[in-house]
Amino acid sequence: MNRIDIVYGGKPYSLGGRSIASIQDEIGTAIAAGVPYWIKVNNGEGRYEDAFLLIAPGIPLAMVNVKPSDDEDEDEAEVEAEFKREML
């Protein structure tokens, strides 16, 4: 299963079974509607707890697509380039 790591307010969160594109679409739709939006994510390691992050203009949010461990030999520069493309 793929996992997206999210950094919000300097703290790590995660979301499983989603793609960055689907999360970007969800956030984009919420921001376009012009109303505050709460996205449900996982907080913690081992035993996950629900956390709700406020999504609104001006609130920084970073997402990282976590690859399965068999892809760990991928070139670090390629991973950084992919991250930058997805953040645009």
Side-chain angles (χ1 to χ4, degrees):
M1 171 173 24
N2 81 336
R3 185 182 87 227
I4 306 299
D5 282 348
I6 297 171
V7 178
Y8 182 96
K11 296 184 180 180
Y13 300 91
S14 66
L15 212 72
R18 300 277 307 269
S19 69
I20 285 182
S22 73
I23 299 167
Q24 287 173 321
D25 289 344
E26 181 178 348
I27 290 171
T29 300
I31 289 175
V35 295
Y37 180 75
W38 294 89
I39 187 169
K40 181 179 170 183
V41 298
N42 297 315
N43 179 37
E45 293 182 20
R47 192 187 88 160
Y48 290 106
E49 296 177 344
D50 291 341
F52 295 87
L53 308 180
L54 176 62
I55 305 300
I59 297 176
L61 172 93
M63 296 184 287
V64 178
N65 192 16
V66 178
K67 304 281 186 192
S69 60
D70 60 347
D71 289 349
E72 285 181 350
D73 59 346
E74 188 171 332
D75 183 18
E76 185 174 321
E78 186 177 326
V79 172
E80 286 182 29
E82 179 182 337
F83 176 73
K84 288 177 183 176
R85 282 191 303 274
E86 290 175 349
M87 292 305 295
L88 294 177

